Each structure stands twice: as C-alpha cells, then as structure tokens.
Amino acid sequence: MTTLIIEDEIPASRRLEQLLNKNGFTVFTILHSVKNAVEWLKLNNHPDLIFMDIKLRDNLCFKIFEEVEITSKIIFTTAFDEFALKAFEYNSLDYLLKPIDEKKLEKLISKLSMFQSVFHNNNHLKNIKLHTRPDYRNSFLVSIGTTIRKIQTEELICFFSENNATFMMSNQNRQFPIDSSLEKLQKELDPKQFFRISRKLIINKKYILGVKKGTIETEFSIENLDFKISRLKLKYFLEWYK
C-alpha cells in the first residue's frame, strides 16, 4: 500500500515512517507544512493513504482540503483530541493520538486488511495489497518491423511526450511510440524507480549519473530531450533521489 506522511515534527514523522515500512507500506515522502503538502498533492499522483497531522507548522491541515481535492483515504494523527469530530468530515478512516502506539497502529492496519474487499471497489484503492509491494508495470510490447518485442522497464531510460504523442527511450538509444499518457504511466511505474521531472518527461533513476544546475546528467546522449527538472519539482526530486 502506498502512503504519504504529513507531519511537522521530524522525530515523529521518521518514527511513523519506520513503523509503516516495517508493516509493508511504501512511503512516497514526508511533508512538513500545509504549503508543501498542497504543492506536492497538486503535482503528484495521490497515494492510497495519507497519515496527516492536524496541527502543522503553518496552519491546520484542514486548509489543505480547501486547495486540493484529495483522492486518498486519510488517517489523522495529533497530540490533541479536540478535532476528532471535525476530522471525520474529511474522507478519514481513523484517528490516532500521538505519540502513536505501535500496537494501536498494528490494530489499525489489521482493520484496513479486514476492509480490503471494500477498498477493492474504490477506484483509488482497487489495487491495494497490504504487506506486499504494489504490482507495477515491468515490461512493454513494441513493434520493430514485423517483430513484436518485449522491453523490460529496467531497460528504459525515460518516457517523454512530444507533439501530443508519448515515447519511451531504451538503453539502446532507440525510441518507441506507446499508446499511453505520462499521467497513466505515473500510476503504472514504480515510484521508487521512476520520477516525473517535468510536464514532458519521466526519468529512470538507474540511468541518472548526477544533477548539475537543476539538470539531470546521464551516460546517454539523447538529442532534443530536455532533462531539466521543473523548479517546483526539484525539492521533491532530491528527496526521491537520495
């Protein structure tokens, strides 16, 4: 199951991340303010679940919902219980008091498992698999002359859009058109391996040599492709790349 942590206390967020990883969750990233959360949620596909602290450094988390239509299910976390009733107005599954007790978290995860069949019918959680890594796309079929060939995703340097069409570039420096949008590919590709650096390009971490002045360097010379990271995405890229 994929998840996002929105928490302004660094020790608490790191501990929660460790507990979630221990229980098989994939944590996309940790965000520490309403502003950062709004920016991230506007630019990225939403995870299955969000663990969200109510009192953040710059405002109450409810401000996030005023700026973004969140498709994820929400687990609210806070050291105060005064917002419990209000929290359940926002697509929430549960409410955990901090410091989060590991046994209570495990009980919550068990409850999520019980409702797995219900989530299966929800468009946003239909592929949910607790305690296992999500199934991401691992190959593509392409036509080479009269031959159909399977290309593994690990062979692909990047995906890019051009002239209202989408292409993928292999490590053989060959590009192939594919019948898919970058938006759809973002949902199908492993987010730990692929990152959408701009509106027009998704990059494979495997082929990144480094980043210089906001531009990705690769071992391949690809003509007419711009590997510059969008200014709004640079911070999140660096968190992903580390």
Side-chain angles (χ1 to χ4, degrees):
M1 181 185 292
T2 57
T3 187
L4 177 70
I5 297 173
I6 303 176
E7 166 66 69
D8 63 348
E9 297 177 18
I10 305 297
S13 65
R14 293 302 183 192
R15 179 174 179 272
L16 178 56
E17 181 183 32
Q18 291 172 359
L19 291 174
L20 292 173
N21 286 334
K22 177 181 175 182
N23 284 277
F25 285 77
T26 298
V27 180
F28 282 169
T29 191
I30 299 173
L31 304 168
H32 304 295
S33 68
V34 169
K35 180 181 178 182
N36 289 342
V38 168
E39 289 177 354
W40 193 95
L41 290 165
K42 284 183 176 180
L43 291 170
N44 296 274
N45 290 321
H46 297 184
D48 300 323
L49 287 171
I50 298 178
F51 284 81
M52 183 182 295
D53 188 15
I54 290 181
K55 286 189 174 181
L56 298 169
R57 61 179 58 169
D58 55 348
N59 215 317
L60 295 180
C61 71
F62 304 122
K63 287 290 183 181
I64 299 171
F65 297 88
E66 297 176 11
E67 300 291 333
V68 187
E69 183 178 351
I70 299 176
T71 59
S72 310
K73 295 297 183 182
I74 311 296
I75 306 293
F76 285 104
T77 63
T78 185
F80 310 93
D81 60 4
E82 62 202 82
F83 297 104
L85 291 178
K86 185 174 179 61
F88 282 100
E89 298 175 12
Y90 295 92
N91 201 29
S92 63
L93 293 176
D94 215 323
Y95 184 97
L96 294 174
L97 285 175
K98 295 192 298 183
I100 294 174
D101 182 88
E102 185 171 357
K103 290 184 178 179
K104 288 184 178 179
L105 179 62
E106 290 175 352
K107 184 177 180 180
L108 168 62
I109 292 170
S110 296
K111 184 168 73 172
L112 292 176
S113 183
M114 288 174 58
F115 286 102
Q116 186 173 358
S117 60
V118 177
F119 292 156
H120 182 78
N121 295 319
N122 184 300
N123 287 335
H124 305 299
L125 295 175
K126 64 182 179 181
N127 293 318
I128 185 174
K129 292 184 178 179
L130 291 175
H131 309 297
T132 63
R133 184 178 176 178
D135 291 327
Y136 295 114
R137 185 106 178 233
N138 57 29
S139 65
F140 292 82
L141 295 179
V142 298
S143 296
I144 304 177
T146 58
T147 303
I148 302 296
R149 182 191 160 198
K150 179 185 285 189
I151 298 182
Q152 302 298 319
T153 54
E154 63 183 22
E155 300 177 56
L156 297 169
I157 303 169
C158 64
F159 299 83
F160 64 95
S161 62
E162 186 175 69
N163 299 324
N164 296 318
T166 306
F167 301 86
M168 59 186 189
M169 180 69 70
S170 76
N171 57 13
Q172 301 298 313
N173 238 22
R174 298 190 64 176
Q175 67 181 51
F176 304 94
I178 55 173
D179 186 20
S180 188
S181 67
L182 293 185
E183 286 72 24
K184 183 180 179 183
L185 287 168
Q186 272 189 282
K187 298 176 182 178
E188 296 177 343
L189 297 168
D190 185 349
K192 287 190 173 294
Q193 192 63 36
F194 291 88
F195 188 92
R196 189 170 182 178
I197 63 170
S198 66
R199 187 170 57 88
K200 292 190 173 184
L201 195 141
I202 296 174
I203 188 78
N204 186 343
K205 182 185 287 187
K206 179 179 178 179
Y207 299 102
I208 298 174
L209 294 181
V211 182
K212 184 176 181 180
K213 295 182 179 179
T215 299
I216 290 173
E217 297 180 328
T218 75
E219 59 185 294
F220 298 89
S221 177
I222 305 174
E223 189 176 355
N224 299 325
L225 274 188
D226 183 5
F227 283 90
K228 188 172 181 61
I229 305 164
S230 164
R231 180 180 60 83
L232 290 175
K233 293 198 173 189
L234 182 59
K235 175 183 176 182
Y236 305 116
F237 170 84
L238 294 175
E239 289 180 359
W240 168 83
Y241 186 52
K242 65 185 179 183

